[in-house]
Amino acid sequence: MRDVAVIGVGIQTWGELWEKSLRDLFVESALNAMKDAGVDRIDSMYVGCMSSGLFTGQEHLASLLADYLGVNPAPAARVESACCSGGLAFRMGFMDVASGMSDIVLVGGVEKMTDVDGAAATYALATASDQEYEAYNGITFPGLYALIARAHMQKYGTTREQMAQVAVKNHENGSTNPHAQYPFKVTLEQVLNATMVADPIRLLDCSPITDGAAAAVLVPLEMAKKMSKGPVIKVAGSGHATDTIALHSRKDITFINSTAVAAEKAYKMAGVGPKDIDFAEVHDCFTIAEICVTEALGFFEKGRGGKAVEAGKTAIGGEIPVNPSGGLKAKGHPVGATGVAQIHEVVNQLRGACGKRQIKNAKRGLAQNMGGTGGSSLVHILEVV
Amino acid sequence: MLTPPKYWREIPQRYRLEAAKCAQCGKVFFPPRLICDACKGEEFETVVLPREGKIVSFTEVHTPASNFSDEAPFAVGIIDLGNELTILAQIVDCDPGEVKIGAPMRLEFRKLQKDGESGVLCYGYKAVPAR
Ligand SMILES: [Zn+2]
């Protein structure tokens, strides 16, 4: 297996981008990544997208996007694993380069979510749960995470305030991110008193509906050493794991086992442990998700994630900064794009290019992306070599 | 969209709570499946789920998907039926104070949703307090 490096990343400012189509979103980010990498051709590409069919009526997506990017007949594949489709696309690109099959691989993620109304978007997102035994009974994604939250509160004493602290921290971080959909700060009171979505989860505990795309260019490490103008960033570890997609089928609904298993694999490949990670971008689709994920990644013991955010351990400048970009919460969550956008942030942090939200001496970053309530998880570790 | 075959296929589970018991190791699956994840056995006998259980966790959904727009808000919970069997169901016919983790519930046959203006009327199980 060859060592692999990221030599370019691209994104746009996310939001409700009514003037931009699915294909425009993707091509804009892909071109930004290719310019950043300094490449004018690619050998293959992978696109993560959860549900272009339900959101826009478009399938057969990879070929369409390759056409509009002007790279036909390059091989192009769309991969889907709900909200971690982007993380999965990144892993496919990593495997393609590592195997020696391709040298220059473009990895992208995209979701165009605002061509349908809110209830239709909620329906499309609910297809990431078990259609026959979860969604059939009327449960939604905020509802499923509410079940996790209430169980976590009961089992470990996690509080509403601790959950709200995740939103306050991530909006604080995202307030200076030029690509964020909601770059504003929120107060604890605002989060605690926001509109109820699925008790105990309120509106400001949820990541938003977003249009957006992100992209990255992967090449063999040896090629990156010749091409890179700045720090050379190696993909040190990659892990991928699955679990039941039905939340109720799990023995412990408060522990995201697929993330724990994917992290174990990524740590092993990179030859490091949770203590060696300088910062992490994690899948805070809901505030409780970030708490559970920081436990599954081994940053904190089971049940201590809520107390950790309350103590400021996950803030920029804390023990292990989590979601310096603002996370899904402030940056937005165009589901298929999220996993690749996390890589965008990790790369820019490692380059020291994050301005006010820059983490000092960031040398090794982790990205964790998950599908549904954790039916699938991807963990990647990137480091400066 | 719920077409008649898609709906009809699940009737044994939704109307009668039919599960599958592995003939080799005895593990019970709901819904039934073709291979046992514990022992890899492929022979099953049909058994019926117990109707009584306890709440593992619950929520009240205020912003439902488009096919449940008329129902909100409604309570949903995970019900532990014992023997490592858990299902997700709406919780109905009770005061808010009665819905708590550990509360005893019973599964009953109810109408769940109507798929579109002229669509299929969908039935299934809902949980009510076991008083
Ligand atoms: Zn068996």
Side-chain angles (χ1 to χ4, degrees):
Chain A
M1 209 170 86
R2 298 193 289 184
D3 284 335
V4 180
V6 184
I7 55 162
V9 287
I11 201 165
Q12 68 272 104
T13 298
W14 287 358
E16 294 182 344
L17 308 176
W18 294 306
E19 73 287 2
K20 289 181 184 175
S21 66
L22 174 69
R23 59 190 86 178
D24 290 346
L25 288 170
F26 174 80
V27 171
E28 187 178 17
S29 287
L31 286 177
N32 286 341
M34 289 172 71
K35 282 172 193 157
D36 185 41
V39 299
D40 57 7
R41 67 167 184 99
I42 58 169
D43 296 331
S44 72
M45 69 179 233
Y46 296 87
V47 184
C49 181
M50 176 187 159
S51 196
S52 55
L54 287 174
F55 285 119
T56 70
Q58 181 68 61
E59 305 289 15
H60 204 175
L61 193 64
S63 297
L64 176 82
L65 299 180
D67 176 15
Y68 277 77
L69 184 59
V71 298
N72 283 156
R78 168 194 174 183
V79 297
E80 185 274 316
S81 193
C83 326
C84 65
S85 301
L88 182 58
F90 187 78
R91 180 173 161 91
M92 294 298 115
F94 166 75
M95 287 162 62
D96 197 347
V97 176
S99 73
M101 289 277 283
S102 302
D103 283 335
I104 306 176
V105 174
L106 177 78
V107 168
V110 63
E111 211 76 55
K112 175 73 194 168
M113 301 175 74
T114 65
D115 279 358
V116 294
D117 66 24
T122 301
Y123 173 81
L125 292 169
T127 63
S129 65
D130 185 326
Q131 271 300 295
E132 308 297 353
Y133 292 91
E134 291 184 309
Y136 181 81
N137 293 301
I139 195 76
T140 58
F141 263 95
L144 287 164
Y145 275 94
L147 295 173
I148 294 176
R150 199 181 302 278
H152 205 279
M153 291 162 113
Q154 171 93 3
K155 189 169 180 181
Y156 298 116
T158 302
T159 64
R160 260 305 291 147
E161 286 73 17
Q162 290 166 349
M163 286 166 59
Q165 292 281 3
V166 173
V168 172
K169 167 183 73 72
N170 291 354
H171 273 285
E172 166 88 36
N173 293 354
S175 66
T176 60
N177 184 343
H179 304 116
Q181 178 176 12
Y182 293 128
F184 51 71
K185 296 178 190 179
V186 297
T187 64
L188 198 64
E189 288 64 37
Q190 283 174 314
V191 183
L192 293 175
N193 296 313
T195 310
M196 190 62 87
V197 173
D199 186 28
I201 285 179
R202 291 171 180 267
L203 190 62
L204 289 174
D205 289 286
C206 308
S207 55
I209 300 277
T210 311
D211 298 326
V217 178
L218 298 174
V219 298
L221 182 66
E222 292 314 311
M223 191 191 278
K225 284 178 179 168
K226 290 177 199 126
M227 295 171 72
S228 286
K229 294 167 290 264
V232 177
I233 295 162
K234 179 184 164 182
V235 184
S238 174
H240 182 196
T242 57
D243 200 349
T244 67
I245 76 169
L247 179 67
H248 60 264
S249 298
R250 300 187 201 148
K251 279 201 176 70
D252 180 0
I253 66 170
T254 64
F255 189 70
I256 302 174
N257 196 55
S258 62
T259 286
V261 174
E264 207 178 288
K265 290 178 182 175
Y267 288 141
K268 195 176 170 208
M269 189 186 289
V272 300
K275 293 272 174 291
D276 304 309
I277 302 297
D278 296 330
F279 67 99
E281 282 287 307
V282 311
H283 199 91
D284 60 326
C285 49
F286 300 94
T287 50
I288 186 65
E290 181 172 308
I291 290 172
C292 294
V293 164
T294 56
E295 295 170 11
L297 290 172
F299 295 155
F300 309 110
E301 279 170 44
K302 279 186 189 179
R304 307 287 296 182
K307 292 175 187 77
V309 64
E310 192 172 35
K313 290 183 181 177
T314 53
I316 292 175
E319 204 172 280
I320 168 83
V322 172
N323 283 324
S325 70
L328 285 54
K329 193 62 213 68
K331 195 174 59 194
H333 183 29
V335 279
T338 285
V340 185
Q342 293 176 327
I343 299 293
H344 177 274
E345 176 73 9
V346 171
V347 166
N348 277 320
Q349 286 286 349
L350 295 177
R351 286 173 172 174
C354 285
K356 280 189 181 154
R357 64 180 199 286
Q358 179 64 44
I359 291 154
K360 288 200 184 76
N361 301 318
K363 297 290 178 229
R364 186 181 292 119
L366 179 149
Q368 178 271 351
N369 189 201
M370 66 185 170
T373 51
S376 48
S377 287
L378 275 299
V379 173
H380 285 97
I381 297 169
L382 273 58
E383 62 188 27
V384 177
V385 292
Chain B
M1 240 279 280
L2 266 170
T3 58
K6 180 169 151 67
Y7 179 69
W8 165 82
R9 223 168 23 235
E10 307 294 329
I11 282 178
Q13 282 67 52
R14 289 188 181 139
Y15 290 17
R16 300 190 293 275
L17 293 171
E18 285 184 11
K21 184 177 180 182
C22 176
Q24 201 161 282
C25 75
K27 187 169 174 181
V28 179
F29 296 92
F30 182 83
R33 46 177 79 186
L34 298 178
I35 181 165
C36 171
D37 66 0
C39 75
K40 306 299 171 197
E42 296 183 33
E43 302 283 324
F44 294 89
E45 60 171 305
T46 300
V47 295
V48 175
L49 285 184
R51 286 190 174 266
E52 311 255 317
K54 287 189 168 122
I55 297 179
V56 174
S57 191
F58 64 94
T59 182
E60 190 174 62
V61 175
H62 290 252
T63 55
S66 42
N67 48 337
F68 283 89
S69 298
D70 300 339
E71 320 288 331
F74 52 87
V76 185
I78 294 176
I79 314 295
D80 181 357
L81 303 170
N83 201 16
E84 296 194 353
L85 279 165
T86 44
I87 64 168
L88 182 133
Q90 285 191 27
I91 297 171
V92 294
D93 293 356
C94 48
D95 305 323
E98 284 183 292
V99 185
K100 49 184 173 236
I101 293 177
M105 305 301 282
R106 190 177 65 249
L107 297 173
E108 290 198 346
F109 179 70
R110 294 291 172 91
K111 189 175 97 177
L112 264 159
Q113 51 166 309
K114 191 170 84 169
D115 189 54
E117 277 305 302
S118 55
V120 182
L121 278 176
C122 304
Y123 294 87
Y125 42 83
K126 287 186 182 177
V128 301
R131 293 184 185 108

